[in-house]
Amino acid sequence: MALESDDLKKLIHALEFASRKHKDQRRKDVDASPYINHPISLASILCNEAHVTDIDVICGALLHDTVEDTDTTEEELEKEFGKKICNIVMDVTDDALLSRPERKQAQIDHAAHASDEAKLVKLADKISNLRDVAINSPPTWSLERRQEYFDWAKQVIDQLRGVHPQLEGIFDEAYSRRP
Ligand code: NDP
Ligand code: ZN
């Protein structure tokens, strides 16, 4: 089925917005890859590996780290992209007022209560990050820290299973590379 032109416009808008917001950021791998590679990898996992073509989910994936990691606000996202995409992003955004260990626990506690669309984005985010930790890990991370990251990601994903078995299988394949 051909992409509707309104959906194509929304997709390019999300891509342009995310690339602009993340333009000065880098990932934590040894090559300091451009940050935008990560949101694009989520969209690719969803669309091309799991055949998720819901435009709001794909745009949510492209925008998923803009509130957590840039100056983007919830109001700005709602104005630019509407309530549905904004809600997906806010559902996968950590509460900045919590400490790091509290944020980690909150992800485990809240995963089951997210919308189905947000669960798909969360799955793709964890798949992308597990692949990075397996082959493009932050160079300072010890073996123990990489293992802890895998185990925590699995704890989060185990709370939301049933939403998309194929995507969960892709997560399990990524988890099987646990260092
Ligand atoms: P961070 O939150 O500091 O880093 C992980 C996040 O960084 C990912 O979720 C991802 O988030 C982003 N990221 C950017 N680049 C990469 C990359 N190349 N590979 C993987 N992730 C990348 O670390 P933790 O998630 O580990 O959180 C800290 C927790 O770690 C503490 O609560 C503590 O329990 C534990 N810890 C353990 C240590 C140990 O040695 N065992 C030492 C210090 C902390 P995004 O998708 O949002 O970009
Ligand atoms: Zn992310």
Side-chain angles (χ1 to χ4, degrees), residues 27 35 38-39 42 61 64-65 68-69 121 124-126 128-129:
R27 301 295 288 169
Y35 198 96
H38 167 66
L42 268 68
H64 82 280
D65 276 330
E68 199 168 287
D69 294 335
V121 173
D125 194 25
K126 294 293 181 275
S128 174
N129 283 333

Side-chain angles (χ1 to χ4, degrees), residues 30-134:
V30 70
D31 295 330
S33 309
Y35 198 96
I36 193 64
N37 290 9
H38 167 66
I40 292 173
S41 83
L42 268 68
S44 177
I45 289 165
L46 287 162
C47 186
N48 294 323
E49 296 187 42
H51 312 293
V52 173
T53 55
D54 179 330
I55 191 66
D56 294 325
V57 174
I58 300 300
C59 290
L62 290 171
L63 298 164
H64 82 280
D65 276 330
T66 57
V67 176
E68 199 168 287
D69 294 335
T70 79
D71 64 1
T72 306
T73 63
E74 181 175 359
E75 293 68 32
E76 189 180 4
L77 271 190
E78 185 174 343
K79 182 168 160 278
E80 297 269 345
F81 298 101
K83 191 90 192 143
K84 189 160 181 214
I85 290 174
C86 176
N87 283 345
I88 294 172
V89 175
M90 295 316 296
D91 246 2
V92 299
T93 297
D94 286 347
D95 181 348
L97 298 174
L98 299 178
S99 68
R100 193 162 267 190
E102 285 171 336
R103 289 188 200 190
K104 296 269 158 195
Q105 186 59 45
Q107 284 210 28
I108 297 168
D109 295 341
H110 297 156
H113 309 293
S115 67
D116 283 358
E117 290 86 353
K119 286 175 180 173
L120 299 178
V121 173
K122 206 169 249 302
L123 269 157
D125 194 25
K126 294 293 181 275
I127 293 165
S128 174
N129 283 333
L130 287 195
R131 288 176 179 173
D132 275 351
V133 172

